[in-house]
Amino acid sequence: MIPQWGPEETARLLSPAAAADALAAALRAGLDPEACPQRTSLPVPGGELLMMPAADGAYAGVKIAGVAHGNPGRGLPRITGTYLLLDGPTLRPLALFDGAALTALRTPAVSALALRHLLPAGAGAPRLVLFGSGPQAYGHLDAVLAVREPAELVVVGRSARGAGQLAAHARALGLRARTGVPGDVAGADLVLCCTTAREPLFDGRLVAPGATVVAVGSHEPGARETDSALVRRSAVYVESRAAALREAGDLLVPEEEGLIGPGHIAGTLADLVAGRRPAGGRSGCPQLFKSVGMAWEDLAVAVALFQAAGAHSET
């Protein structure tokens, strides 16, 4: 029987910072996100079934994930699934990981890696506005703390109770934190969007020229967390041009409106890691990192988890 790791073991084995290191290492080793296989999506009665395969050198893997929008009302996770890690040359199964836990680690790690390069060097502690109060919001708070501690956290949530709980959690970590409203983005240096919203969360005209916005909540062409005004005035970074122009409603909607073209993307995560593109693009504009989530990221983090588990078992 192959080893299996659940949510608790996954969280114990690897931090968001270590997962971000694994992603950076994969990119520096030559992995090309543009060549990553497409996500397969199948509508099912409960929501959406996703399959995300990837292979790179010594390893291969596949995530089978469910997105059940009605689950939170049942007291169940919205994201379900399993990740199967395989030996690359033989395709022998090596390990099974909880798919939701892997996603909850991988997505903040991608954001943390982007923020390492997008947050201005030498700048002070950022004022952070965080949209959302679910697992991704908590994971992204951890990810930001691994990069730079915010001067203040403002939580904006659809659920006042959930937003209050996340703000209280942040205060327990020693942060200045409160709940707020969408208009608070006007005073933010960093805005994180970690929601299931299908329509823009705030007025993009309010975002300051030097601010950084990260949006991770959707991978559907018709869903978005940021509006066309923000996208049009921002230097936009993505994980992969092909994936973004296939799945990122944040970019596809303003493109359909004729406000931007495919060439609006300033660079990719690989560009940032390799230093091929200076962060910031045009001077005096916000920066937007739009993530849709990709299979190569799941594989890189699963491999790091597997190796960490092996190192842990030897000590």
Side-chain angles (χ1 to χ4, degrees):
M1 186 173 180
I2 63 174
Q4 300 185 36
W5 285 277
E8 294 79 12
E9 294 89 349
T10 299
R12 186 183 72 249
L13 286 171
L14 210 63
S15 67
D21 290 340
L23 294 167
L27 292 173
R28 292 191 181 105
L31 184 144
D32 181 9
E34 302 296 342
C36 184
Q38 294 188 30
R39 183 195 332 260
T40 300
S41 174
L42 175 68
V44 295
E48 183 182 16
L49 185 63
L50 306 173
M51 186 167 70
M52 301 174 65
D56 182 42
Y59 297 95
V62 60
K63 182 168 74 176
I64 299 177
V67 183
H69 299 290
N71 271 9
R74 304 182 182 102
L76 298 171
R78 190 177 73 94
I79 305 295
T80 65
T82 298
Y83 192 89
L84 174 62
L85 181 66
L86 306 165
D87 176 70
T90 66
L91 298 184
R92 178 174 56 90
L94 297 176
L96 277 174
F97 296 97
D98 181 275
L102 179 65
T103 304
L105 173 62
R106 172 265 273 168
T107 306
V110 173
S111 298
L113 180 57
L115 289 174
R116 288 179 183 178
H117 300 277
L118 291 175
L119 288 180
R127 295 162 294 175
L128 167 62
V129 173
L130 174 56
F131 286 86
S133 59
Q136 284 294 340
Y138 282 84
H140 273 76
L141 177 57
D142 289 341
V144 168
L145 290 174
V147 177
R148 196 172 303 172
E149 184 170 316
E152 180 187 29
L153 167 66
V154 179
V155 181
V156 184
R158 181 172 53 188
S159 163
R161 180 171 178 268
Q165 288 175 336
L166 179 52
H169 169 76
R171 289 193 293 271
L173 297 176
L175 302 177
R176 288 180 54 203
R178 62 176 176 87
T179 60
V181 297
D184 282 312
V185 298
D189 303 300
L190 175 59
V191 179
L192 300 180
C193 305
C194 312
T195 76
T196 59
R198 301 190 64 83
E199 299 294 335
L201 297 165
F202 55 89
D203 184 348
R205 296 171 297 181
L206 298 176
V207 175
T212 299
V213 179
V214 174
V216 305
S218 68
H219 62 267
E220 299 174 61
R224 55 179 180 161
E225 296 176 293
T226 60
D227 66 8
S228 299
L230 176 67
V231 174
R232 186 179 187 184
R233 57 189 287 256
S234 294
V236 177
Y237 296 86
V238 297
E239 298 142 298
S240 151
R241 284 181 169 83
L245 295 176
R246 188 171 59 238
E247 299 182 335
D250 297 69
L251 306 185
L252 293 172
V253 173
E255 185 177 339
E256 289 172 1
E257 295 170 344
L259 298 177
I260 65 169
H264 188 72
I265 294 172
T268 66
L269 190 62
D271 292 330
L272 292 172
V273 169
R276 289 192 293 263
R277 294 287 185 97
R282 305 183 309 274
S283 61
C285 69
Q287 300 176 109
L288 169 63
F289 177 69
K290 171 55 190 169
S291 169
V292 295
M294 298 185 69
W296 73 267
E297 299 160 352
D298 290 320
L299 177 61
V301 174
V303 169
L305 284 165
F306 180 68
Q307 293 174 343
H312 181 75
S313 66
E314 294 171 1
T315 58

